[in-house]
Amino acid sequence: MNMPNKSSNRICLISDIHSNLEAFEKVMKSITKLDCPILCLGDIVGYGANPNECIKLVMEHGIRSVLGNHDAAAIGKIDMTWFNDRARYSAEWTANQLTEESRLFLGGLKTEMRFGRALLVHGSPMDPISEYVSNTYVADEVFHFVEDDLIIVGHTHVPLSFADSKEGIIARDYIHGGSLKIASRCILNPGSVGQPRDGNPMASYAILDLREMEFSVFRTYYDVKKASRKILSAGLPESLAERLFEGR
Ligand code: ZN
């Protein structure tokens, strides 16, 4: 008798890798064991020192990804007027590093994708590239804007969920990881692999179990020192190296 393939009910969610190969490799070590589809919410590149290596890993593992604002900036798809100085500098640095293969890969990414019942975008369904779903006001707009039950986003670098319950929208963070039983329409954010910003420097990723309807966020240590040293030796802004230690 064939055992049911449990992994087919689960998907791994990653986001905002930001050219941080050390964090990405560490997360991949944990999730490839699970043998389930891996979906990425964008910003594979920008800020960190290994854009091509991170894109290569995404390609090698057949990870499906949407386009993030930093991916778009690195291939000249959006203008960088709204980027702050260090983001603009790192986008220009990244653009100069990208191989033709990397550029083609980023150029092929769409701003939204679907997986079963889930809608996936980097920012928000209203503005897939730039808008942050970081509070209940924007979450409320999202629930009115689309009809999907599950909306999965990245971009904030903070693992979050917003549940559209009878009592109103319930927001939750996952600074130390944790699980949520999904009982209503939900917006889910797995946090950032390569540049967490919730005060916890550990890389963040999530598993979504579509049979149990459970969203679980995991945090994992990686070699922050090595990643930040590479940022400095690449000549990227010092603050980009420092923030990795603080998770800010
Ligand atoms: Zn990002």
Side-chain angles (χ1 to χ4, degrees):
M1 197 176 90
N2 285 334
M3 292 296 286
N5 179 8
K6 283 188 183 167
S7 64
S8 63
N9 298 301
R10 289 187 299 188
I11 51 176
C12 295
L13 301 171
I14 58 173
S15 189
D16 296 277
I17 299 162
H18 282 294
S19 304
N20 184 338
L21 187 64
E22 285 65 38
F24 191 19
E25 281 178 335
K26 184 68 196 295
V27 166
M28 288 306 289
K29 216 171 158 188
S30 308
I31 62 181
T32 45
K33 286 194 278 233
L34 302 172
D35 193 28
C36 55
I38 305 168
L39 306 179
C40 174
L41 281 307
D43 276 5
I44 301 165
V45 301
Y47 296 133
N50 290 110
N52 292 309
E53 293 80 356
C54 289
I55 292 172
K56 197 162 167 241
L57 209 52
V58 167
M59 291 168 79
E60 276 171 6
H61 288 272
I63 298 170
R64 290 173 55 196
S65 181
V66 290
L67 182 79
N69 56 327
H70 285 262
D71 305 319
I75 53 169
K77 256 193 175 175
I78 54 167
D79 97 84
M80 290 186 267
T81 320
W82 302 107
F83 275 46
N84 61 36
D85 287 349
R86 65 182 176 185
R88 194 178 312 115
Y89 184 88
S90 87
E92 282 159 5
W93 181 89
T94 303
N96 288 326
Q97 301 293 314
L98 289 183
T99 62
E100 191 53 30
E101 194 185 20
S102 295
R103 235 187 305 275
L104 279 173
F105 179 80
L106 294 180
L109 300 180
K110 304 272 184 292
T111 53
E112 62 175 63
M113 66 181 175
R114 282 178 191 279
F115 188 92
R117 301 163 54 187
L119 168 68
L120 296 94
V121 290
H122 179 64
S124 80
M126 294 82 82
D127 181 347
I129 289 283
S130 308
E131 189 173 33
Y132 293 91
V133 186
S134 49
N135 59 54
T136 52
Y137 299 102
V138 186
D140 190 43
E141 246 188 280
V142 171
F143 287 127
H144 283 95
F145 190 76
V146 293
E147 288 180 350
D148 304 79
D149 290 333
L150 283 177
I151 302 108
I152 307 172
V153 301
H155 196 35
T156 65
H157 296 212
V158 174
L160 286 169
S161 62
F162 296 97
D164 189 17
S165 79
K166 284 192 202 91
E167 295 82 43
I169 295 175
I170 300 169
R172 187 182 153 182
D173 62 51
Y174 298 84
I175 186 162
H176 303 298
S179 290
L180 172 81
K181 272 276 180 199
I182 299 171
S184 61
R185 296 179 73 205
C186 262
I187 301 166
L188 307 171
N189 185 328
S192 170
V193 170
Q195 197 194 75
R197 290 182 193 163
D198 59 357
N200 179 355
M202 295 163 91
S204 187
Y205 65 96
I207 309 289
L208 178 61
D209 189 318
L210 293 164
R211 186 167 54 188
E212 303 295 329
M213 289 312 283
E214 192 168 36
F215 172 68
S216 304
V217 174
F218 298 89
R219 309 297 295 256
T220 181
Y221 286 110
Y222 71 95
D223 197 341
V224 176
K225 270 189 195 159
K226 191 172 173 188
S228 67
R229 228 184 294 126
K230 282 184 180 176
I231 288 173
L232 294 176
S233 34
L236 286 159
E238 236 171 80
S239 60
L240 294 177
E242 283 160 10
R243 71 188 302 176
L244 295 182
F245 290 96
E246 295 155 15
R248 295 271 177 215

